[in-house]
Amino acid sequence: MTRGGSTRAWRALRAAVAERDGYRCTYPQPDGHPCRQYAPLAGPGAGHADHVVPVKHGGTDTLTNLRWLCAPHNLGRGTNPDPAPLRDWTW
């Protein structure tokens, strides 16, 4: 999907990211573990599909470059890089 794509396509991609990540925030904490805050697809406390590599820095709208974050982590991050890489945790 490219920028300026259909809203329907973005909504489907966003839903796929949320489902893949179990509707849990994947933002890396200082200890390397993910936040894991529950963030539903809609309503109060809804999560955000976040670009691991921000579009501003060449990131793409692909499943491999998107992850599910709680609103505080996504809004606080802006277009800054992650503070620490997220390890592959099995949860």
Side-chain angles (χ1 to χ4, degrees):
M1 187 170 116
T2 59
R3 289 274 125 184
S6 78
T7 301
R8 183 177 297 175
W10 174 251
R11 286 182 184 160
L13 185 57
R14 183 176 174 270
V17 171
E19 188 171 326
R20 180 198 65 201
D21 293 345
Y23 300 90
R24 301 268 175 196
C25 179
T26 61
Y27 193 79
Q29 300 298 295
D31 65 1
H33 287 82
C35 166
R36 303 296 293 142
Q37 172 68 40
Y38 177 72
L41 192 58
H48 297 215
D50 174 65
H51 292 85
V52 176
V53 176
V55 173
K56 174 180 176 178
H57 298 292
T60 59
D61 293 331
T62 59
L63 278 175
T64 56
N65 189 47
L66 291 169
R67 63 188 171 176
W68 199 243
L69 296 186
C70 62
H73 277 132
N74 188 48
L75 298 174
R77 176 176 179 244
T79 60
N80 299 316
D82 283 340
L86 181 63
R87 300 180 189 128
D88 274 333
W89 294 101
T90 302
W91 51 70

